[in-house]
């Protein structure tokens, strides 16, 4: 069983296994390894996720001897909320303490009856997209599954006080989800599991900057919804905006996307994210190019007005430019939405999440420790 992700922040030896860092299958395996019947795992999950009880001693339908035996090696440990900001538009951002004194941000976006939680998957990000402030903070490791599902758990706990519930989860916070694959899959499994949050696969979106091997692996592993941060209609520009493109150019990325859609084999479309940068990627001829490259891909397009941050060097496209770009794509038959900017006053909008990444020095070393060697070789980053 895999309780601890391949992160740089393995638990110290004296810490117990975290029941939040696994899914139903993993827990069933643990329980049967301890010599008990499978259904104990389901009982535990019900206590944790449905009744919101984390203390094994309070799980009264489990025998005392089982509780004692399990309690010696495992516990349900949540990350801790250490800060909260509410935007004038109702968007809420929480700062959550994770391992090694770092913290990450999650954002709840209420929108006409829907409550979308944007969760982080890594502490910072190593991909360094040129217009994203998360990347500028550097990278300090992967989140564990408990720290990813923990964000959903904590936000749901807060929201339930108002009688509301999370309806959608997007892995669009800090980090590149596909570079923290195992933990992201464990966490999304619990988001979908009836004994977890019971969200449909259509309501859980993993967003990637284009780590192509991760897309193929995801296709074999799960069927959550997928969003691609494309941002440019050709390699010359994408190489600059999204540097991972130098390793996995657009043609390869779109091939992987088509494969993913074929594997999930329902009628779902992929989401293409395109941040609108004034004078950089917002010209009409670029909309033409975009409509050409996406021709045989079942997708909808989200245009994201650029969210500025100090020293970014970019500006947001003008409203009328975005509208023209959108109208053109709609005219070509693409469902194209302009994403409303939310939570800008509290720096909770796309690409503005920075958390508190403890140690920003020596990034190269951190890349090395945060990745499996096979992934590193494939990435071939500077
Ligand atoms: N690494 C993943 C998950 C991050 S999602 C990915 O790249 O998909 C965050 C989304 O917001 C991505 O599409 C990202 O490119 C976009 N984004 C980043 N910085 C932004 C900014 N300053 N303004 C608007 N969108 C931004």
């Amino acid at each position: 069983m895999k309780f601890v992700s391949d992160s740089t922040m393995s638990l110290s030896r004296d810490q117990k296994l975290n029941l939040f860092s696994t899914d139903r299958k993993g827990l069933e395996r643990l329980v049967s390894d301890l010599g008990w019947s499978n259904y104990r795992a389901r009982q535990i999950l019900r206590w944790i996720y449905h009744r919101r009880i984390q203390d094994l001693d309070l799980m009264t339908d489990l025998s005392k001897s089982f509780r004692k035996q399990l309690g010696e090696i495992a516990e349900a440990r949540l990350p801790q909320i250490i800060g909260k900001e509410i935007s004038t538009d109702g968007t809420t951002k929480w700062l959550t303490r994770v391992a090694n004194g770092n913290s990450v941000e999650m954002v709840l976006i209420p929108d006409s009856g829907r409550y979308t939680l944007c969760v982080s998957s890594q502490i910072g990000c190593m991909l360094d997209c040129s217009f994203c402030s998360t990347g500028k903070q550097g990278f300090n490791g992967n989140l564990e599954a408990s720290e990813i599902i923990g964000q959903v758990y904590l936000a749901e706990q807060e929201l339930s006080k108002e009688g509301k519930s999370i309806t959608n989860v997007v892995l669009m916070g800090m980090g590149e989800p596909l570079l923290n694959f195992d933990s992201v899959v464990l966490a999304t499994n619990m988001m979908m599991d009836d004994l977890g949050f019971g969200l449909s696969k259509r309501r859980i979106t993993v967003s990637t900057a284009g780590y192509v091997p991760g897309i193929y692996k995801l296709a074999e592993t799960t069927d959550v919804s997928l969003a691609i941060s494309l941002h440019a209609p050709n390699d010359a520009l994408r190489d600059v905006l999204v540097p991972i493109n130098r390793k996995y150019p657009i043609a390869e990325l779109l091939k992987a996307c088509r494969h993913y859609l074929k594997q999930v084999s329902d009628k779902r479309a992929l989401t293409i994210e395109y941040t609108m940068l004034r004078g950089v990627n917002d010209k009409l001829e670029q909309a033409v190019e975009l409509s050409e490259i996406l021709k045989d891909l079942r997708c909808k397009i989200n245009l994201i007005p650029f969210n500025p941050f100090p020293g970014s060097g970019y500006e947001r496209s003008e409203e009328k430019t975005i509208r023209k770009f959108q109208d053109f794509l709609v005219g070509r038959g693409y469902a194209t939405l302009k994403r409303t900017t939310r939570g800008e006053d509290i720096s909770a909008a796309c690409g503005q999440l920075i958390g508190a990444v403890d140690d920003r020095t020596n990034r190269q070393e951190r890349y090395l420790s945060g990745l499996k060697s096979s992934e590193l070789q494939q990435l071939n980053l500077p």
Side-chain angles (χ1 to χ4, degrees), residues 125 127 129 131-133 171-173 175-177 207-209 227-229 231 273 275 304-309 339 350-352:
C125 188
L127 293 186
C129 298
F131 54 92
C132 178
S133 73
L171 280 103
M172 294 186 184
E176 166 53 44
S207 178
T208 177
I228 304 292
S229 294
H231 309 304
E273 293 162 281
T275 296
I304 315 172
F306 170 66
N307 297 309
F309 55 92
R339 197 185 283 169
C350 293
Q352 291 185 320

Side-chain angles (χ1 to χ4, degrees), residues 48-92:
I48 294 179
Y49 287 96
H50 289 185
R51 300 182 193 136
R52 291 187 216 296
I53 298 289
Q54 293 116 48
D55 185 347
L56 283 174
D57 285 336
L58 300 178
M59 302 183 182
T60 45
D61 59 358
L62 300 172
S63 72
K64 273 204 177 120
S65 54
F66 174 60
R67 275 186 267 159
K68 183 163 179 292
Q69 195 186 353
L70 184 64
E72 274 161 16
I73 56 159
E75 63 186 353
R77 255 192 333 271
L78 281 171
Q80 208 191 341
I81 291 182
I82 54 169
K84 177 180 180 179
E85 283 180 90
I86 304 177
S87 158
T88 48
D89 68 18
T91 300
T92 305

Side-chain angles (χ1 to χ4, degrees), residues 8 12 15 44 101 118 121 152 159 185 187 199 202 206 212 238 250 286 288 292 302 331 358:
T8 49
S12 62
Q15 261 185 327
I44 296 170
C118 177
S121 57
V152 183
L159 204 54
V185 166
L199 292 171
R202 293 166 183 276
V206 169
V212 166
R238 196 165 191 269
I250 292 175
Q286 288 162 318
V288 176
E292 292 297 319
N302 270 353
D358 192 33

Side-chain angles (χ1 to χ4, degrees), residues 10-25:
S10 305
L11 302 177
S12 62
R13 287 182 197 289
D14 55 347
Q15 261 185 327
K16 293 177 181 176
L17 298 173
N18 191 346
L19 297 174
F20 279 109
S21 265
T22 190
D23 57 3
R24 187 197 294 220
K25 257 200 206 139

